[in-house]
Amino acid sequence: MPRVQPMGEQISAQQRRSEPLLDTLARLGFVSADQIELAGEVHKHPDRARVGDLLVEHGIVSKQQLAHANAVRAGLEVYDPSVPPDPTVMELVDERTARRYQAVPVRSDPDGCLVMAMADPTNVFALDDLRILTRRRIRPLLAQPEVVARLIAQAGRLDQLVAQVVDSSDLPEDAFESLSEIQDDPDEAPVVRLVNSIISRGVEDGASDIHLEPQASEVVVRFRIDGVLRTITSVPHRFANGVASRIKIMSDLDIAERRAPQDGRVGLRLAGRTLDLRVATLPTVYGEKIVIRVLDRRNVVMDLRDLGFAPDVLQRFTDSYRRTHGAVLVTGPTGSGKSTTLYGTLHQLNSPDRNIITVEDPVEYRLQGINQVQVNPKAGLTFAAGLRSILRCDPDVVMIGEVRDRETAKIAVESALTGHLVLATLHTNDAAGALSRLTEMGVDSFLSASAVSGILAQRLARRLCEACREPTMVPTSVLADRVEEDRLPQGLPDRMQVYRPGGCGRCGGSGYRGRTGIYEMLVVDENIQRLIIEGASTEAITKAAQKDGMRTLAEDGLLKVMRGETSLEELARAVG
């Protein structure tokens, strides 16, 4: 029976190369004591070259574990596909060379060495050619062939595809065939390949929106990543209509209509992932601007704790939506994560003994066990009309995608007063502003005071990349400039350490990776109710709520800055 060697125990390179595969798997902890005996029998197979494949076939180890073990025996590292590659170095090797050697640059080491993910890192001829081509020293990492193929596709080579489109004097008739699944097919028409690659690149880069914006001489392609738009490439303007028509056919829109806005939707699969794309067109002076909203069902956050709530804020919010009746409002500008918060809340409330009905425009994610209604103004199904119908269907919980008008606001408030739990969104800058907004919509203040149980205002701020964030010292007075000094934690030093963005391959050089929520939770208690009925100002209601324990958006954001989750600059961008 092989000896299980601790992970930290050092062995020489010669020992690694001569070490049996099973011993390496055991030393790495991939084979448990109960599996060693079965693995030993497989290891005795006469076809020694297939031992690794047999271990995978018997379910003893995974492909990734086998690759890791083989790399360790060869003294190599294994590429971690969960770490995004650096797009600035991926272009150092052209697509043909990358496919020929099954090798893709993924980042640069501090010493200038180019790190390369390779299906066969022992190919010395490939390493020599790549070293000459890039004029850099190469450090190879072992990667599965399918991972290398995905990296090659991820690189996009958009500029090369744009050049191919420019070189095509005529667009072939099959350039606008229907598409059900995006794939990298070199035989496709240039415009089709270009559109496919733009969408694929956007999905791989984690873009929430893809913008195609016609200008005087070009169509600019931009991705919104972590809430910030980034320019990716541009297409000559004479191909704008071809690109627009391709996207319109994918989303079942009228390609002949270019003077009126259109909205469409398309479902597709990309790299085994099911995606929904919301397509919106808008006529501009230079042509049709197209925005594609990428909805990845895997990104639906079902646990509110994953959204960045502080424990006390989450408890206050939970106490509000766990009531059997009343209105819970979520406020913030477009793109502040309101829908994500509501979907997470519905998931917490979803149970067989509750009838949950939503009215949304659009239905972004489909939730099992919840009745979701899509607004359709052309058919007369508005928010107000849908809400009236919902109330005749014996709901326990009603979710309104957005309160936009007086009728919807009044029905929502009346529903909350008649024993229903109502979840809804509003566009206001802070929590107390939602009460003024209801009054502006024609809802009497005494009804709002009785119906609303809690208001959550929120923003999204980019998270600092933990791999490259840089510490810096700032005067505590800088923090006090953003909130009232008596609202800061007591006993702070004159100078504090916070973090600022750096830039590395993991975050694409931006210094940020992912986003976190910043929250302001106002609980409507008897004191707040009295102020609402008296017509108190937004500032007075906010002051009273702060005395009851509410933190403002700026205060919640400062706590995240002090914990190193985000930066002062990002807080200023997100909250102001």
Side-chain angles (χ1 to χ4, degrees):
M1 181 177 297
R3 182 175 70 91
V4 179
Q5 190 170 6
M7 289 289 290
E9 189 171 329
Q10 301 295 321
I11 62 175
S12 67
Q14 182 177 359
Q15 286 175 319
R16 282 198 301 265
R17 288 190 292 269
S18 61
E19 182 181 40
L21 175 61
L22 183 56
D23 285 11
T24 304
L25 291 167
R27 179 168 59 83
L28 293 172
F30 295 155
V31 181
S32 66
D34 295 335
Q35 294 173 314
I36 288 178
E37 185 174 350
L38 176 60
E41 293 298 322
V42 174
H43 208 69
K44 297 175 182 177
H45 193 277
D47 187 358
R48 304 289 292 179
R50 290 195 65 243
V51 167
D53 294 335
L54 290 170
L55 292 173
V56 173
E57 291 174 10
H58 282 74
I60 297 173
V61 295
S62 66
K63 287 184 178 180
Q64 292 74 19
Q65 290 172 332
L66 178 62
H68 192 161
N70 283 329
V72 169
R73 297 176 72 208
L76 299 171
E77 295 181 47
V78 177
Y79 173 67
D80 182 2
S82 67
V83 178
D86 184 350
T88 61
V89 302
M90 295 181 77
E91 301 295 337
L92 293 177
V93 175
D94 62 76
E95 184 175 5
R96 176 180 293 181
T97 303
R99 292 189 182 279
R100 177 183 178 186
Y101 295 125
Q102 287 294 284
V104 181
V106 290
R107 64 176 182 272
S108 291
D109 279 345
D111 61 358
C113 196
L114 186 63
V115 181
M116 192 86 65
M118 302 182 65
D120 182 11
T122 61
N123 187 338
V124 294
F125 299 105
L127 290 171
D128 287 342
D129 287 352
L130 292 169
R131 190 177 299 111
I132 295 172
L133 176 67
T134 62
R135 298 180 180 180
R136 301 272 293 274
R137 290 181 293 112
I138 303 295
R139 183 164 70 87
L141 304 182
L142 177 66
Q144 292 292 321
E146 56 268 26
V147 172
V148 174
R150 188 165 65 246
L151 286 171
I152 294 174
Q154 178 178 345
R157 316 300 176 191
L158 294 182
D159 292 335
Q160 294 181 23
L161 288 171
V162 170
Q164 291 180 16
V165 174
V166 173
D167 291 340
S168 302
S169 56
D170 296 310
L171 294 178
E173 294 182 359
D174 64 347
F176 307 124
E177 292 180 354
S178 179
L179 181 70
S180 60
E181 180 169 352
I182 292 180
Q183 53 188 0
D184 185 18
D185 184 353
D187 296 329
E188 289 178 339
V191 169
V192 177
R193 291 193 64 204
L194 178 60
V195 172
N196 294 354
S197 296
I198 289 174
I199 297 175
S200 298
R201 174 76 174 268
V203 172
E204 292 292 342
D205 287 357
S208 61
D209 299 89
I210 300 172
H211 292 242
L212 295 97
E213 303 170 335
Q215 304 297 323
S217 60
E218 62 184 5
V219 178
V220 178
V221 179
R222 298 197 292 171
F223 294 165
R224 186 175 296 279
I225 301 175
D226 291 337
V228 177
L229 280 171
R230 303 179 187 176
T231 300
I232 303 301
T233 189
S234 62
V235 181
H237 189 273
R238 67 178 183 273
F239 297 99
N241 289 340
V243 172
S245 296
R246 172 60 181 164
I247 296 174
K248 284 183 175 182
I249 284 187
M250 290 174 61
S251 50
D252 197 24
L253 298 178
D254 184 359
I255 63 173
E257 179 57 74
R258 296 175 181 172
R259 298 172 298 175
Q262 297 187 68
D263 295 300
R265 191 167 191 154
V266 58
L268 50 83
R269 290 183 61 80
L270 172 62
R273 298 160 62 181
T274 301
L275 302 172
D276 288 324
L277 305 182
R278 279 170 42 197
V279 179
T281 70
L282 181 68
T284 70
V285 293
Y286 293 120
E288 288 182 286
K289 172 183 171 67
I290 298 177
V291 178
I292 303 174
R293 169 65 61 88
V294 181
L295 302 174
D296 187 348
R297 297 175 188 175
R298 300 190 314 176
N299 291 339
V300 183
V301 178
M302 294 305 182
D303 193 336
L304 293 173
R305 292 173 297 183
D306 296 335
L307 297 179
F309 278 97
D312 59 328
V313 178
L314 180 58
Q315 186 59 54
R316 290 161 66 91
F317 180 56
T318 302
D319 292 342
S320 295
Y321 74 72
R322 285 295 180 186
R323 297 176 60 176
T324 58
H325 63 279
V328 179
L329 307 178
V330 180
T331 76
T334 300
S336 58
K338 300 186 299 296
S339 296
T340 300
T341 299
L342 285 181
Y343 280 129
T345 305
L346 289 177
H347 179 72
Q348 301 301 317
L349 292 170
N350 192 12
S351 64
D353 61 339
R354 283 195 179 99
N355 178 22
I356 302 177
I357 308 179
T358 75
V359 54
E360 308 171 56
D361 183 23
V363 176
E364 294 190 0
Y365 299 102
R366 291 169 174 82
L367 304 179
Q368 184 69 29
I370 293 177
N371 307 284
Q372 296 173 272
V373 178
Q374 169 73 53
V375 168
N376 186 358
K378 293 181 180 179
L381 182 55
T382 62
F383 274 108
L387 191 50
R388 282 195 300 269
S389 299
I390 285 174
L391 296 177
R392 293 192 290 267
C393 295
D394 186 33
D396 297 298
V397 180
V398 176
M399 193 272 271
I400 307 171
E402 183 180 346
V403 177
R404 299 177 177 175
D405 52 53
R406 176 178 181 178
E407 187 177 6
T408 304
K410 283 196 167 185
I411 297 173
V413 168
E414 291 169 0
S415 302
L417 291 172
T418 54
H420 301 92
L421 176 63
V422 177
L423 308 175
T425 70
L426 277 173
H427 287 277
T428 63
N429 291 328
D430 55 16
L435 298 167
S436 300
R437 180 70 178 129
L438 289 177
T439 302
E440 293 170 2
M441 287 183 175
V443 178
D444 293 328
S445 58
F446 68 90
L447 292 178
S448 298
S450 301
V452 178
S453 58
I455 306 170
L456 179 74
Q458 67 177 73
R459 299 288 191 277
L460 288 178
R462 292 180 292 173
R463 286 183 178 273
L464 285 167
C465 175
E466 295 186 1
C468 64
R469 64 180 185 178
E470 302 172 352
T472 183
M473 300 298 293
V474 298
T476 305
S477 59
V478 173
L479 306 182
D481 289 342
R482 301 185 179 273
V483 298
E484 297 179 13
E485 192 167 356
D486 60 352
R487 299 290 298 175
L488 288 173
Q490 298 298 315
L492 293 180
D494 293 336
R495 295 179 64 83
M496 286 193 58
Q497 176 178 290
V498 296
Y499 289 87
R500 62 187 179 190
C504 67
R506 289 173 178 259
C507 58
S510 69
Y512 298 95
R513 188 180 180 193
R515 289 191 286 180
T516 186
I518 297 176
Y519 301 98
E520 175 179 299
M521 182 63 205
L522 188 155
V523 176
V524 181
D525 55 16
E526 292 183 1
N527 185 37
I528 300 297
Q529 286 179 340
R530 178 179 54 80
L531 291 173
I532 296 171
I533 294 172
E534 293 174 354
S537 65
T538 298
E539 292 77 11
I541 293 174
T542 299
K543 289 287 186 183
Q546 285 180 292
K547 291 180 180 178
D548 291 337
M550 183 189 81
R551 281 198 300 274
T552 64
L553 289 168
E555 291 166 2
D556 192 55
L558 276 180
L559 289 180
K560 289 179 168 60
V561 170
M562 294 162 67
R563 288 198 293 263
E565 296 179 24
T566 190
S567 67
L568 283 169
E569 296 80 7
E570 180 62 12
L571 176 61
R573 186 196 68 83
V575 177

